[in-house]
Amino acid sequence: MPSPELLWARWALVAVLEATTAAEESKRYRTGHWIDEEGLHLDDCGCTWWTFSRVGEGRYVLFGEDESSGVKWHETPIDMLAGGPDWLPYEELRERLAGNELGCVYWYENGAWARAPYPDDLDDDGLDCGMSRFVDREDALRLLNDHIRHDGPDPELLMEHAEGYRLTPELLESYAAPEDGSAPDLPAMGRALRRAGLEPRTATAG
């Protein structure tokens, strides 16, 4: 796993580019990539969903499910919350567990990722399939293709600004091109950008 800051930046960039006012206000089941008060989300409307949240200074929690996970089907039950710190969102996690909706839980603090112990015969908890789109930089860049102009600046520059936490509304505007051909919803993108915290500090001061 990369650092949580890098994972957050790449995921948040896609969420910002996909942001629309209609999706924010809709009460319907949401899919794609987005950010809200809880954190970052993705849902492929199939067998993959994930949530990534900041939980105070230097603390993050990542949880979700990919169909490749063998955790919840393991013959010997696995306690995915074993060893978890007291700041995890236990109410939601236990609700997910009760609904048989959770595939794995990871947390980050004191400079390291951690998870519950797994038995030796568990091959896959779904993390690789679920997060590879952000862990591999080339995959992360490919995710941008449906959301940016192909006659515009190099997408590497956009990614670098996101990873460096110096993304600006002006730069977003020069790239954004929704997949359906509509005009970019710049106000919604701006709200998502501020919520993600990817702007330079001078841009968010005050």
Side-chain angles (χ1 to χ4, degrees):
M1 286 282 282
S3 72
E5 294 84 5
L6 187 59
L7 181 64
W8 181 277
R10 292 175 180 174
W11 191 335
L13 175 56
V14 180
V16 168
L17 287 167
E18 290 187 11
T20 66
T21 302
E24 287 176 344
E25 296 177 348
S26 175
K27 303 299 183 184
R28 300 174 60 186
Y29 184 80
R30 195 164 179 180
T31 60
H33 304 80
W34 71 97
I35 185 167
D36 59 18
E37 294 80 4
E38 185 182 11
L40 289 163
H41 305 270
L42 75 85
D43 192 309
D44 71 353
C45 199
C47 300
T48 298
W49 70 269
W50 295 87
T51 293
F52 187 30
S53 302
R54 291 167 167 159
V55 193
E57 186 67 29
R59 292 175 172 175
Y60 295 79
V61 59
L62 171 66
F63 58 94
E65 180 179 22
D66 184 86
E67 61 184 340
S68 64
S69 174
V71 174
K72 68 181 183 181
W73 311 117
H74 196 267
E75 185 174 343
T76 303
I78 297 171
D79 181 1
M80 288 180 250
L81 305 182
D86 58 9
W87 49 263
L88 291 182
Y90 283 103
E91 183 176 354
E92 178 176 3
L93 293 172
R94 287 175 177 136
E95 285 181 2
R96 294 282 193 177
L97 283 169
N100 205 27
E101 299 175 328
L102 197 59
C104 64
V105 182
Y106 283 74
W107 53 89
Y108 183 96
E109 67 174 338
N110 300 322
W113 287 101
R115 57 161 173 74
Y118 289 163
D120 292 339
D121 62 346
L122 180 72
D123 295 325
D124 190 356
D125 67 359
L127 181 71
D128 287 346
C129 285
M131 289 294 104
S132 62
R133 72 195 73 191
F134 305 122
V135 172
D136 185 290
R137 197 167 191 273
E138 290 304 312
D139 286 347
L141 283 167
R142 279 192 287 271
L143 265 181
L144 302 183
N145 286 337
D146 292 336
H147 310 294
I148 62 173
R149 296 171 48 199
H150 297 289
D151 60 347
D154 186 346
E156 283 271 3
L157 179 63
L158 183 64
M159 181 70 77
E160 287 173 7
H161 276 72
E163 293 173 342
Y165 287 74
R166 56 179 187 273
L167 191 59
T168 64
E170 294 76 18
L171 187 64
L172 270 176
E173 185 174 1
S174 70
Y175 276 91
E179 185 178 10
D180 63 5
S182 62
D185 189 336
L186 297 175
M189 289 183 183
R191 291 190 292 271
L193 178 61
R194 291 188 293 274
R195 185 169 283 152
L198 297 184
E199 292 180 290
R201 289 187 179 183
T202 54
T204 58

PDB file of all heavy atoms in Angstrom, residues 81-109:
ATOM      1  N   LEU A  81     -12.024  -7.121  12.743  1.00  0.00           N
ATOM      2  CA  LEU A  81     -11.814  -5.972  13.627  1.00  0.00           C
ATOM      3  C   LEU A  81     -10.812  -6.282  14.735  1.00  0.00           C
ATOM      4  O   LEU A  81     -10.527  -5.407  15.569  1.00  0.00           O
ATOM      5  CB  LEU A  81     -13.147  -5.534  14.241  1.00  0.00           C
ATOM      6  CG  LEU A  81     -14.259  -5.217  13.239  1.00  0.00           C
ATOM      7  CD1 LEU A  81     -15.504  -4.750  13.972  1.00  0.00           C
ATOM      8  CD2 LEU A  81     -13.805  -4.168  12.234  1.00  0.00           C
ATOM      9  N   ALA A  82     -10.268  -7.493  14.750  1.00  0.00           N
ATOM     10  CA  ALA A  82      -9.328  -7.872  15.806  1.00  0.00           C
ATOM     11  C   ALA A  82      -8.103  -6.968  15.790  1.00  0.00           C
ATOM     12  O   ALA A  82      -7.498  -6.751  14.742  1.00  0.00           O
ATOM     13  CB  ALA A  82      -8.893  -9.331  15.630  1.00  0.00           C
ATOM     14  N   GLY A  83      -7.763  -6.421  16.934  1.00  0.00           N
ATOM     15  CA  GLY A  83      -6.591  -5.569  17.046  1.00  0.00           C
ATOM     16  C   GLY A  83      -6.803  -4.148  16.583  1.00  0.00           C
ATOM     17  O   GLY A  83      -5.870  -3.339  16.585  1.00  0.00           O
ATOM     18  N   GLY A  84      -8.034  -3.815  16.187  1.00  0.00           N
ATOM     19  CA  GLY A  84      -8.304  -2.467  15.707  1.00  0.00           C
ATOM     20  C   GLY A  84      -8.236  -1.428  16.810  1.00  0.00           C
ATOM     21  O   GLY A  84      -8.607  -1.705  17.954  1.00  0.00           O
ATOM     22  N   PRO A  85      -7.769  -0.222  16.484  1.00  0.00           N
ATOM     23  CA  PRO A  85      -7.706   0.846  17.486  1.00  0.00           C
ATOM     24  C   PRO A  85      -9.103   1.319  17.873  1.00  0.00           C
ATOM     25  O   PRO A  85     -10.078   1.067  17.153  1.00  0.00           O
ATOM     26  CB  PRO A  85      -6.911   1.946  16.776  1.00  0.00           C
ATOM     27  CG  PRO A  85      -7.155   1.697  15.315  1.00  0.00           C
ATOM     28  CD  PRO A  85      -7.274   0.212  15.165  1.00  0.00           C
ATOM     29  N   ASP A  86      -9.197   2.039  18.972  1.00  0.00           N
ATOM     30  CA  ASP A  86     -10.510   2.428  19.478  1.00  0.00           C
ATOM     31  C   ASP A  86     -11.179   3.520  18.654  1.00  0.00           C
ATOM     32  O   ASP A  86     -12.360   3.808  18.836  1.00  0.00           O
ATOM     33  CB  ASP A  86     -10.421   2.860  20.942  1.00  0.00           C
ATOM     34  CG  ASP A  86      -9.456   4.028  21.164  1.00  0.00           C
ATOM     35  OD1 ASP A  86      -8.973   4.627  20.176  1.00  0.00           O
ATOM     36  OD2 ASP A  86      -9.169   4.343  22.342  1.00  0.00           O
ATOM     37  N   TRP A  87     -10.447   4.123  17.687  1.00  0.00           N
ATOM     38  CA  TRP A  87     -11.028   5.212  16.897  1.00  0.00           C
ATOM     39  C   TRP A  87     -11.674   4.746  15.593  1.00  0.00           C
ATOM     40  O   TRP A  87     -12.192   5.571  14.822  1.00  0.00           O
ATOM     41  CB  TRP A  87      -9.979   6.283  16.606  1.00  0.00           C
ATOM     42  CG  TRP A  87      -8.661   5.770  16.072  1.00  0.00           C
ATOM     43  CD1 TRP A  87      -7.531   5.518  16.790  1.00  0.00           C
ATOM     44  CD2 TRP A  87      -8.352   5.450  14.704  1.00  0.00           C
ATOM     45  NE1 TRP A  87      -6.519   5.066  15.957  1.00  0.00           N
ATOM     46  CE2 TRP A  87      -6.995   5.021  14.675  1.00  0.00           C
ATOM     47  CE3 TRP A  87      -9.066   5.500  13.516  1.00  0.00           C
ATOM     48  CZ2 TRP A  87      -6.361   4.626  13.504  1.00  0.00           C
ATOM     49  CZ3 TRP A  87      -8.447   5.103  12.341  1.00  0.00           C
ATOM     50  CH2 TRP A  87      -7.107   4.673  12.345  1.00  0.00           C
ATOM     51  N   LEU A  88     -11.667   3.464  15.327  1.00  0.00           N
ATOM     52  CA  LEU A  88     -12.343   2.978  14.111  1.00  0.00           C
ATOM     53  C   LEU A  88     -13.853   3.239  14.202  1.00  0.00           C
ATOM     54  O   LEU A  88     -14.414   3.292  15.298  1.00  0.00           O
ATOM     55  CB  LEU A  88     -12.091   1.484  13.933  1.00  0.00           C
ATOM     56  CG  LEU A  88     -10.668   1.028  13.587  1.00  0.00           C
ATOM     57  CD1 LEU A  88     -10.641  -0.480  13.400  1.00  0.00           C
ATOM     58  CD2 LEU A  88     -10.146   1.732  12.353  1.00  0.00           C
ATOM     59  N   PRO A  89     -14.528   3.376  13.054  1.00  0.00           N
ATOM     60  CA  PRO A  89     -15.987   3.590  13.053  1.00  0.00           C
ATOM     61  C   PRO A  89     -16.726   2.274  13.292  1.00  0.00           C
ATOM     62  O   PRO A  89     -17.351   1.703  12.382  1.00  0.00           O
ATOM     63  CB  PRO A  89     -16.244   4.153  11.656  1.00  0.00           C
ATOM     64  CG  PRO A  89     -15.185   3.534  10.802  1.00  0.00           C
ATOM     65  CD  PRO A  89     -13.961   3.450  11.685  1.00  0.00           C
ATOM     66  N   TYR A  90     -16.658   1.789  14.537  1.00  0.00           N
ATOM     67  CA  TYR A  90     -17.146   0.444  14.837  1.00  0.00           C
ATOM     68  C   TYR A  90     -18.638   0.269  14.563  1.00  0.00           C
ATOM     69  O   TYR A  90     -19.068  -0.818  14.152  1.00  0.00           O
ATOM     70  CB  TYR A  90     -16.827   0.086  16.284  1.00  0.00           C
ATOM     71  CG  TYR A  90     -15.383  -0.298  16.484  1.00  0.00           C
ATOM     72  CD1 TYR A  90     -14.482   0.585  17.054  1.00  0.00           C
ATOM     73  CD2 TYR A  90     -14.916  -1.548  16.067  1.00  0.00           C
ATOM     74  CE1 TYR A  90     -13.144   0.240  17.216  1.00  0.00           C
ATOM     75  CE2 TYR A  90     -13.582  -1.901  16.226  1.00  0.00           C
ATOM     76  CZ  TYR A  90     -12.698  -1.002  16.801  1.00  0.00           C
ATOM     77  OH  TYR A  90     -11.380  -1.346  16.955  1.00  0.00           O
ATOM     78  N   GLU A  91     -19.425   1.292  14.772  1.00  0.00           N
ATOM     79  CA  GLU A  91     -20.865   1.137  14.553  1.00  0.00           C
ATOM     80  C   GLU A  91     -21.152   0.778  13.098  1.00  0.00           C
ATOM     81  O   GLU A  91     -21.892  -0.178  12.820  1.00  0.00           O
ATOM     82  CB  GLU A  91     -21.605   2.422  14.933  1.00  0.00           C
ATOM     83  CG  GLU A  91     -23.111   2.306  14.793  1.00  0.00           C
ATOM     84  CD  GLU A  91     -23.850   3.542  15.270  1.00  0.00           C
ATOM     85  OE1 GLU A  91     -23.205   4.467  15.822  1.00  0.00           O
ATOM     86  OE2 GLU A  91     -25.085   3.586  15.080  1.00  0.00           O
ATOM     87  N   GLU A  92     -20.559   1.521  12.181  1.00  0.00           N
ATOM     88  CA  GLU A  92     -20.775   1.200  10.770  1.00  0.00           C
ATOM     89  C   GLU A  92     -20.158  -0.135  10.392  1.00  0.00           C
ATOM     90  O   GLU A  92     -20.771  -0.930   9.664  1.00  0.00           O
ATOM     91  CB  GLU A  92     -20.207   2.295   9.870  1.00  0.00           C
ATOM     92  CG  GLU A  92     -20.377   1.952   8.393  1.00  0.00           C
ATOM     93  CD  GLU A  92     -19.922   3.026   7.429  1.00  0.00           C
ATOM     94  OE1 GLU A  92     -19.407   4.062   7.887  1.00  0.00           O
ATOM     95  OE2 GLU A  92     -20.071   2.824   6.209  1.00  0.00           O
ATOM     96  N   LEU A  93     -18.953  -0.394  10.868  1.00  0.00           N
ATOM     97  CA  LEU A  93     -18.285  -1.643  10.515  1.00  0.00           C
ATOM     98  C   LEU A  93     -19.076  -2.853  11.008  1.00  0.00           C
ATOM     99  O   LEU A  93     -19.210  -3.850  10.288  1.00  0.00           O
ATOM    100  CB  LEU A  93     -16.869  -1.663  11.095  1.00  0.00           C
ATOM    101  CG  LEU A  93     -15.897  -0.632  10.495  1.00  0.00           C
ATOM    102  CD1 LEU A  93     -14.584  -0.624  11.278  1.00  0.00           C
ATOM    103  CD2 LEU A  93     -15.635  -0.914   9.021  1.00  0.00           C
ATOM    104  N   ARG A  94     -19.613  -2.768  12.204  1.00  0.00           N
ATOM    105  CA  ARG A  94     -20.391  -3.894  12.727  1.00  0.00           C
ATOM    106  C   ARG A  94     -21.705  -4.055  11.984  1.00  0.00           C
ATOM    107  O   ARG A  94     -22.183  -5.181  11.794  1.00  0.00           O
ATOM    108  CB  ARG A  94     -20.605  -3.711  14.226  1.00  0.00           C
ATOM    109  CG  ARG A  94     -19.319  -3.959  15.018  1.00  0.00           C
ATOM    110  CD  ARG A  94     -19.468  -3.670  16.488  1.00  0.00           C
ATOM    111  NE  ARG A  94     -18.229  -3.986  17.207  1.00  0.00           N
ATOM    112  CZ  ARG A  94     -17.678  -3.214  18.134  1.00  0.00           C
ATOM    113  NH1 ARG A  94     -18.276  -2.053  18.472  1.00  0.00           N
ATOM    114  NH2 ARG A  94     -16.549  -3.561  18.728  1.00  0.00           N
ATOM    115  N   GLU A  95     -22.284  -2.950  11.554  1.00  0.00           N
ATOM    116  CA  GLU A  95     -23.489  -3.048  10.730  1.00  0.00           C
ATOM    117  C   GLU A  95     -23.185  -3.735   9.404  1.00  0.00           C
ATOM    118  O   GLU A  95     -23.960  -4.567   8.924  1.00  0.00           O
ATOM    119  CB  GLU A  95     -24.065  -1.654  10.473  1.00  0.00           C
ATOM    120  CG  GLU A  95     -24.772  -1.042  11.660  1.00  0.00           C
ATOM    121  CD  GLU A  95     -25.340   0.329  11.343  1.00  0.00           C
ATOM    122  OE1 GLU A  95     -25.216   0.776  10.177  1.00  0.00           O
ATOM    123  OE2 GLU A  95     -25.905   0.954  12.263  1.00  0.00           O
ATOM    124  N   ARG A  96     -22.048  -3.390   8.797  1.00  0.00           N
ATOM    125  CA  ARG A  96     -21.636  -4.028   7.545  1.00  0.00           C
ATOM    126  C   ARG A  96     -21.385  -5.522   7.752  1.00  0.00           C
ATOM    127  O   ARG A  96     -21.758  -6.349   6.923  1.00  0.00           O
ATOM    128  CB  ARG A  96     -20.368  -3.361   7.020  1.00  0.00           C
ATOM    129  CG  ARG A  96     -20.534  -1.912   6.596  1.00  0.00           C
ATOM    130  CD  ARG A  96     -21.195  -1.813   5.244  1.00  0.00           C
ATOM    131  NE  ARG A  96     -21.104  -0.472   4.684  1.00  0.00           N
ATOM    132  CZ  ARG A  96     -21.547  -0.134   3.488  1.00  0.00           C
ATOM    133  NH1 ARG A  96     -22.112  -1.044   2.707  1.00  0.00           N
ATOM    134  NH2 ARG A  96     -21.444   1.112   3.047  1.00  0.00           N
ATOM    135  N   LEU A  97     -20.731  -5.837   8.862  1.00  0.00           N
ATOM    136  CA  LEU A  97     -20.474  -7.245   9.163  1.00  0.00           C
ATOM    137  C   LEU A  97     -21.774  -8.013   9.348  1.00  0.00           C
ATOM    138  O   LEU A  97     -21.931  -9.130   8.854  1.00  0.00           O
ATOM    139  CB  LEU A  97     -19.614  -7.363  10.426  1.00  0.00           C
ATOM    140  CG  LEU A  97     -18.126  -7.067  10.262  1.00  0.00           C
ATOM    141  CD1 LEU A  97     -17.459  -6.948  11.635  1.00  0.00           C
ATOM    142  CD2 LEU A  97     -17.444  -8.157   9.442  1.00  0.00           C
ATOM    143  N   ALA A  98     -22.719  -7.406  10.055  1.00  0.00           N
ATOM    144  CA  ALA A  98     -24.001  -8.070  10.297  1.00  0.00           C
ATOM    145  C   ALA A  98     -24.740  -8.313   8.987  1.00  0.00           C
ATOM    146  O   ALA A  98     -25.471  -9.307   8.846  1.00  0.00           O
ATOM    147  CB  ALA A  98     -24.853  -7.232  11.247  1.00  0.00           C
ATOM    148  N   GLY A  99     -24.553  -7.437   8.017  1.00  0.00           N
ATOM    149  CA  GLY A  99     -25.192  -7.596   6.720  1.00  0.00           C
ATOM    150  C   GLY A  99     -24.378  -8.394   5.727  1.00  0.00           C
ATOM    151  O   GLY A  99     -24.737  -8.494   4.555  1.00  0.00           O
ATOM    152  N   ASN A 100     -23.263  -8.963   6.194  1.00  0.00           N
ATOM    153  CA  ASN A 100     -22.373  -9.762   5.346  1.00  0.00           C
ATOM    154  C   ASN A 100     -21.873  -8.956   4.153  1.00  0.00           C
ATOM    155  O   ASN A 100     -21.774  -9.447   3.026  1.00  0.00           O
ATOM    156  CB  ASN A 100     -23.089 -11.026   4.860  1.00  0.00           C
ATOM    157  CG  ASN A 100     -22.121 -12.140   4.515  1.00  0.00           C
ATOM    158  OD1 ASN A 100     -21.018 -12.215   5.059  1.00  0.00           O
ATOM    159  ND2 ASN A 100     -22.518 -13.011   3.606  1.00  0.00           N
ATOM    160  N   GLU A 101     -21.543  -7.673   4.399  1.00  0.00           N
ATOM    161  CA  GLU A 101     -21.155  -6.759   3.327  1.00  0.00           C
ATOM    162  C   GLU A 101     -19.687  -6.360   3.362  1.00  0.00           C
ATOM    163  O   GLU A 101     -19.253  -5.579   2.515  1.00  0.00           O
ATOM    164  CB  GLU A 101     -21.980  -5.465   3.433  1.00  0.00           C
ATOM    165  CG  GLU A 101     -23.470  -5.654   3.296  1.00  0.00           C
ATOM    166  CD  GLU A 101     -24.216  -4.357   3.530  1.00  0.00           C
ATOM    167  OE1 GLU A 101     -23.748  -3.523   4.334  1.00  0.00           O
ATOM    168  OE2 GLU A 101     -25.262  -4.175   2.901  1.00  0.00           O
ATOM    169  N   LEU A 102     -18.940  -6.858   4.323  1.00  0.00           N
ATOM    170  CA  LEU A 102     -17.573  -6.373   4.514  1.00  0.00           C
ATOM    171  C   LEU A 102     -16.554  -7.426   4.109  1.00  0.00           C
ATOM    172  O   LEU A 102     -16.688  -8.601   4.469  1.00  0.00           O
ATOM    173  CB  LEU A 102     -17.380  -5.995   5.991  1.00  0.00           C
ATOM    174  CG  LEU A 102     -16.196  -5.102   6.346  1.00  0.00           C
ATOM    175  CD1 LEU A 102     -16.270  -3.774   5.614  1.00  0.00           C
ATOM    176  CD2 LEU A 102     -16.170  -4.852   7.857  1.00  0.00           C
ATOM    177  N   GLY A 103     -15.526  -6.985   3.356  1.00  0.00           N
ATOM    178  CA  GLY A 103     -14.500  -7.909   2.898  1.00  0.00           C
ATOM    179  C   GLY A 103     -13.177  -7.771   3.620  1.00  0.00           C
ATOM    180  O   GLY A 103     -12.453  -8.747   3.801  1.00  0.00           O
ATOM    181  N   CYS A 104     -12.830  -6.537   4.045  1.00  0.00           N
ATOM    182  CA  CYS A 104     -11.606  -6.329   4.813  1.00  0.00           C
ATOM    183  C   CYS A 104     -11.597  -4.918   5.391  1.00  0.00           C
ATOM    184  O   CYS A 104     -12.338  -4.040   4.939  1.00  0.00           O
ATOM    185  CB  CYS A 104     -10.343  -6.579   3.987  1.00  0.00           C
ATOM    186  SG  CYS A 104     -10.097  -5.443   2.603  1.00  0.00           S
ATOM    187  N   VAL A 105     -10.764  -4.731   6.398  1.00  0.00           N
ATOM    188  CA  VAL A 105     -10.612  -3.438   7.067  1.00  0.00           C
ATOM    189  C   VAL A 105      -9.123  -3.192   7.288  1.00  0.00           C
ATOM    190  O   VAL A 105      -8.414  -4.066   7.814  1.00  0.00           O
ATOM    191  CB  VAL A 105     -11.328  -3.412   8.437  1.00  0.00           C
ATOM    192  CG1 VAL A 105     -11.179  -2.030   9.086  1.00  0.00           C
ATOM    193  CG2 VAL A 105     -12.795  -3.786   8.298  1.00  0.00           C
ATOM    194  N   TYR A 106      -8.650  -2.020   6.876  1.00  0.00           N
ATOM    195  CA  TYR A 106      -7.270  -1.601   7.113  1.00  0.00           C
ATOM    196  C   TYR A 106      -7.292  -0.256   7.832  1.00  0.00           C
ATOM    197  O   TYR A 106      -8.189   0.564   7.606  1.00  0.00           O
ATOM    198  CB  TYR A 106      -6.500  -1.462   5.799  1.00  0.00           C
ATOM    199  CG  TYR A 106      -6.066  -2.775   5.192  1.00  0.00           C
ATOM    200  CD1 TYR A 106      -6.988  -3.608   4.566  1.00  0.00           C
ATOM    201  CD2 TYR A 106      -4.737  -3.185   5.253  1.00  0.00           C
ATOM    202  CE1 TYR A 106      -6.588  -4.823   4.020  1.00  0.00           C
ATOM    203  CE2 TYR A 106      -4.328  -4.395   4.707  1.00  0.00           C
ATOM    204  CZ  TYR A 106      -5.257  -5.205   4.090  1.00  0.00           C
ATOM    205  OH  TYR A 106      -4.862  -6.414   3.546  1.00  0.00           O
ATOM    206  N   TRP A 107      -6.318  -0.039   8.672  1.00  0.00           N
ATOM    207  CA  TRP A 107      -6.200   1.257   9.340  1.00  0.00           C
ATOM    208  C   TRP A 107      -4.750   1.718   9.336  1.00  0.00           C
ATOM    209  O   TRP A 107      -3.823   0.914   9.153  1.00  0.00           O
ATOM    210  CB  TRP A 107      -6.738   1.193  10.770  1.00  0.00           C
ATOM    211  CG  TRP A 107      -6.146   0.104  11.617  1.00  0.00           C
ATOM    212  CD1 TRP A 107      -5.019   0.173  12.393  1.00  0.00           C
ATOM    213  CD2 TRP A 107      -6.657  -1.228  11.797  1.00  0.00           C
ATOM    214  NE1 TRP A 107      -4.794  -1.021  13.033  1.00  0.00           N
ATOM    215  CE2 TRP A 107      -5.786  -1.899  12.689  1.00  0.00           C
ATOM    216  CE3 TRP A 107      -7.774  -1.917  11.284  1.00  0.00           C
ATOM    217  CZ2 TRP A 107      -6.001  -3.210  13.087  1.00  0.00           C
ATOM    218  CZ3 TRP A 107      -7.978  -3.232  11.672  1.00  0.00           C
ATOM    219  CH2 TRP A 107      -7.099  -3.862  12.557  1.00  0.00           C
ATOM    220  N   TYR A 108      -4.596   3.006   9.484  1.00  0.00           N
ATOM    221  CA  TYR A 108      -3.257   3.600   9.408  1.00  0.00           C
ATOM    222  C   TYR A 108      -3.078   4.564  10.582  1.00  0.00           C
ATOM    223  O   TYR A 108      -3.899   5.462  10.807  1.00  0.00           O
ATOM    224  CB  TYR A 108      -3.101   4.366   8.097  1.00  0.00           C
ATOM    225  CG  TYR A 108      -1.722   4.968   7.874  1.00  0.00           C
ATOM    226  CD1 TYR A 108      -0.759   4.298   7.126  1.00  0.00           C
ATOM    227  CD2 TYR A 108      -1.389   6.214   8.405  1.00  0.00           C
ATOM    228  CE1 TYR A 108       0.500   4.843   6.911  1.00  0.00           C
ATOM    229  CE2 TYR A 108      -0.127   6.773   8.194  1.00  0.00           C
ATOM    230  CZ  TYR A 108       0.804   6.076   7.449  1.00  0.00           C
ATOM    231  OH  TYR A 108       2.049   6.629   7.242  1.00  0.00           O
ATOM    232  N   GLU A 109      -2.005   4.373  11.324  1.00  0.00           N
ATOM    233  CA  GLU A 109      -1.596   5.319  12.362  1.00  0.00           C
ATOM    234  C   GLU A 109      -0.138   5.041  12.707  1.00  0.00           C
ATOM    235  O   GLU A 109       0.397   3.970  12.404  1.00  0.00           O
ATOM    236  CB  GLU A 109      -2.480   5.234  13.606  1.00  0.00           C
ATOM    237  CG  GLU A 109      -2.374   3.949  14.386  1.00  0.00           C
ATOM    238  CD  GLU A 109      -3.185   4.007  15.676  1.00  0.00           C
ATOM    239  OE1 GLU A 109      -3.474   5.111  16.174  1.00  0.00           O
ATOM    240  OE2 GLU A 109      -3.534   2.926  16.196  1.00  0.00           O
TER     241      GLU A 109
END
